[in-house]
Amino acid sequence: MLYTDERKETILLKTILHINPDKTLSHIAPEIYGQFSEHLGRCIYDGIYVGEDSDIPNVKGMRKDVVEALRALHLPVLRWPGGCFADEYHWRDGIGPKENRRRMVNTNWGGIVEDNRFGTHEFLELCDQLDCEPYIAINLGSGTVQEAAEWIEYMTADGDSTITNLRKENGRTKPWHLKYVGIGNENWGCGGSMSPDFYANEYKRYQCFCKNYGNNKLYKVACGPSGEDYNWTKELMSRIDHEHANGISLHYYTVPGDWEHKGSATDFSDEEYYITISKALHIEDIIEKHLAIMDEYDPNHDIDLLVDEWGTWYNVEPGTNPAFLYQQNTMRDAIVAAASLNIFNKHSDRIAMANIAQVVNVLQAMILTEDTKILKTPTYDVFQMYKEHQDATLVESYVEAVSGSASAARASGTDSADTANKIHGPVISYNDTSLPALSESVSVTEQNGQKLLTITLANTSLTDSLSVELELPMKYSFCGEASIAMLHAGARAYNTFDDPDRVRAFETEEDWNGNLQIVSLPACSVCRICCYVS
Ligand code: AHR
């Protein structure tokens, strides 16, 4: 049963999504749909890089099937080499003839020997194949300023220096284009257990020597907080300004239980489902609080927020290496992805990038691999459905839940943002958890002189379908064919290597007209509508 308030006093009669195409709010950076790859478990090796001699079809060692699947998502940016691994990574170990590369112990992720056969050249080749921006995480925790400076020079400088000649000897004549560099990762934890003031000073020193060569202009990201660590943001922001940093990062993982008992990826109760969704939605509150602190020190908004690690984190799949963080991915994860991306869209005035963790075989992955086989997870489909938001403009939209009580009489159908703040959407109450039943965001692009809306919706209820009235201002009308993509299955449904399309989005087209349309969202579903309005 859906309600319009948490006390279960007023029962939902109808749900209206008000959309105002004239009220354009912010540009949705494509990088919000970014990904993260780390030398962790089977993310890089097996998942992406199999080597040129592998029986698995590859181009320069990169799995063709994985690259092809990721290209279909229009991947904007890929972060590498970590994660915690980044602050142990020494880039010189990963260049030159593979047989001479240094073998190191990957102390963060199971103590396995990392032979560095995937290094800078291979990563940048992967980004070329994916046609995405690289985002390099530089080792501040156990590296040196010289090492950082020379890595930037190695990748981006032209000319005749010892470092650039080393790159040429290793087969790359022209420098690469590199925009995004993160300086340190989780330096409050695995990246050196630093205090914020110590890190801020270190950060300033490191960034000073990360130079712009030729036309290459770096966008520098300082290590920001974990979750609700508002003190880190305050201390960091009080010590840096836009001369030092273009953005700060935020890491937030959705863990249904606690870190000792996170919960199973596939075997969960209804209560655990609602706790998971509610914890995922909590990122909005966290983002808003960090932004409010950032505003105090940076009122002109020169420094962006990058959610450069996010996603679900469960117990590993039974029988797999606990340090490899390999987990399955159900419709619950699809709802988490859909709702999180709607939140990032809604805050795209300040969020410049987000990178779900991680792209293949680790945590909330797009793709899982097993030898020669791959499967695309339900989360993959969400990224596929939402890709139309990339580079579009967010428009005002808000949900109104209409009940039989007095609250139903409140002003409906107005276009005012004040109304949006006052009117609440439908609410789910489950034991001690209450959460919104509908997550949404709407963007617009101009196509052939017409406005094309992309509307993305998620019904978070496990049991109730939701009928949503999409309402435009009177002067607008839906026109022509609307393309509707729907992803739904039971919350616990997932794809396996034997049944890889068990959960898959399907598309339909409908002729739409008038200023009001009704869409029916099955329980636990994600929907994307692309429609013209004039
Ligand atoms: O994504 C797994 C790990 O989570 C990353 O290495 C680290 O940055 C975070 O704690």
Side-chain angles (χ1 to χ4, degrees), residues 36 38 40 79 82-85 109 185-186 188 190 251 253 309 313 325 357-358 362-363:
F36 171 36
E38 179 166 10
L40 191 179
R79 180 170 180 250
C84 295
F85 181 77
W109 306 118
N185 171 77
E186 298 196 350
W188 32 261
C190 64
H251 288 184
Y253 284 99
E309 285 186 30
W313 193 324
L325 311 187
Q358 298 190 3
V362 171
L363 300 177

Side-chain angles (χ1 to χ4, degrees), residues 27-173:
H27 171 243
I28 300 177
E31 287 82 358
I32 283 179
Y33 293 81
Q35 301 279 339
F36 171 36
S37 60
E38 179 166 10
H39 289 245
L40 191 179
R42 297 188 305 110
C43 180
I44 299 291
Y45 305 117
D46 282 6
I48 295 172
Y49 186 76
V50 287
E52 294 183 40
D53 299 334
S54 171
D55 291 340
I56 297 175
N58 67 84
V59 176
K60 297 188 180 170
M62 316 297 160
R63 287 183 78 124
K64 269 186 173 178
D65 48 5
V66 168
V67 168
E68 192 190 324
L70 292 177
R71 279 183 67 93
L73 298 182
H74 298 175
L75 210 90
V77 62
L78 183 63
R79 180 170 180 250
W80 175 83
C84 295
F85 181 77
D87 282 290
E88 273 196 338
Y89 184 64
H90 301 281
W91 68 272
R92 281 175 184 270
D93 297 346
I95 57 169
K98 290 196 195 311
E99 61 279 12
N100 298 342
R101 294 189 188 178
R102 186 167 165 266
R103 294 166 70 82
M104 64 178 282
V105 180
N106 188 338
T107 62
N108 285 289
W109 306 118
I112 56 145
V113 171
E114 161 66 59
D115 63 10
N116 279 302
R117 63 192 186 279
F118 186 94
T120 303
H121 290 252
E122 289 76 17
F123 173 65
L124 294 167
E125 166 63 25
L126 172 66
C127 292
D128 278 350
Q129 290 188 23
L130 294 172
D131 195 18
C132 74
E133 293 274 352
Y135 175 16
I136 297 273
I138 286 180
N139 179 349
L140 176 145
S142 70
T144 65
V145 173
Q146 181 182 0
E147 197 182 347
E150 290 181 351
W151 198 8
I152 301 294
E153 184 187 345
Y154 186 86
M155 290 184 280
T156 63
D158 215 344
D160 186 25
S161 72
T162 302
I163 296 286
T164 55
N165 287 337
L166 180 61
R167 183 189 70 228
K168 291 171 197 163
E169 278 164 33
N170 288 330
R172 174 79 186 195
T173 314

Side-chain angles (χ1 to χ4, degrees), residues 377-391:
T377 64
T379 301
Y380 177 97
D381 282 48
V382 174
F383 274 74
Q384 171 86 286
M385 291 160 76
Y386 274 53
K387 69 183 179 197
E388 315 301 335
H389 282 308
Q390 292 188 27
D391 235 348

Side-chain angles (χ1 to χ4, degrees), residues 1-13 403-407 427-429:
M1 180 81 74
L2 296 176
Y3 302 89
T4 56
D5 63 32
E6 296 174 14
R7 294 152 299 161
K8 303 187 180 180
E9 282 178 0
T10 46
I11 291 168
L12 178 71
L13 292 184
S403 69
S405 76
S407 63
V427 172
I428 297 166
S429 289

Side-chain angles (χ1 to χ4, degrees), residues 201-432:
N201 287 338
E202 286 292 281
Y203 171 80
K204 283 193 278 192
R205 193 163 70 98
Y206 270 72
Q207 69 77 32
C208 195
F209 297 96
C210 292
K211 304 288 187 189
N212 293 326
Y213 292 97
N215 294 329
N216 193 72
K217 181 128 181 42
L218 298 175
Y219 176 106
K220 299 174 190 169
V221 183
C223 165
S226 166
E228 292 168 330
D229 187 353
Y230 303 112
N231 183 53
W232 181 277
T233 302
K234 195 173 167 52
E235 295 294 327
L236 177 65
M237 288 299 296
S238 69
R239 289 173 172 84
I240 60 166
D241 64 28
H242 67 279
E243 299 288 331
H244 309 119
N246 301 94
I248 69 167
S249 61
L250 164 68
H251 288 184
Y252 179 73
Y253 284 99
T254 298
V255 182
D258 56 37
W259 285 101
E260 287 300 302
H261 307 98
K262 299 183 217 41
S264 158
T266 52
D267 184 11
F268 49 88
S269 65
D270 289 0
E271 179 149 34
E272 279 175 290
Y273 168 87
Y274 284 120
I275 288 172
T276 308
I277 306 304
S278 163
K279 284 188 170 181
L281 293 171
H282 181 51
I283 198 173
E284 181 155 35
D285 183 53
I286 290 176
I287 287 170
E288 286 171 0
K289 288 189 172 133
H290 285 297
L291 288 176
I293 295 167
M294 290 169 71
D295 284 354
E296 286 172 34
Y297 298 95
D298 176 36
N300 295 331
H301 298 177
D302 290 320
I303 299 182
D304 302 323
L305 186 64
L306 292 83
V307 189
D308 68 13
E309 285 186 30
W310 68 274
T312 52
W313 193 324
Y314 308 119
N315 299 338
V316 298
E317 285 306 299
T320 66
N321 187 329
F324 282 12
L325 311 187
Y326 177 78
Q327 66 189 38
Q328 252 295 356
N329 193 299
T330 65
M331 260 314 288
R332 173 175 63 164
D333 297 271
I335 299 286
V336 168
S340 303
L341 292 169
N342 283 336
I343 291 169
F344 302 154
N345 285 345
K346 293 260 184 187
H347 292 82
S348 52
D349 57 331
R350 305 295 304 283
I351 296 183
M353 190 191 292
N355 309 74
I356 189 167
Q358 298 190 3
V359 66
V360 186
N361 287 337
V362 171
L363 300 177
Q364 193 176 350
M366 303 299 110
I367 294 171
L368 304 178
T369 70
E370 190 181 80
D371 303 324
T372 57
K373 295 186 199 160
I374 72 166
L375 69 79
K376 297 172 196 162
T377 64
T379 301
Y380 177 97
D381 282 48
V382 174
F383 274 74
Q384 171 86 286
M385 291 160 76
Y386 274 53
K387 69 183 179 197
E388 315 301 335
H389 282 308
Q390 292 188 27
D391 235 348
T393 303
L394 181 78
V395 298
E396 182 185 275
S397 60
Y398 59 91
V399 187
E400 180 187 6
V402 179
S403 69
S405 76
S407 63
R410 280 186 301 197
S412 63
T414 69
D415 299 333
S416 127
D418 283 352
T419 315
N421 293 331
K422 285 182 212 131
I423 295 177
H424 299 290
V427 172
I428 297 166
S429 289
Y430 192 92
N431 295 343
D432 296 335

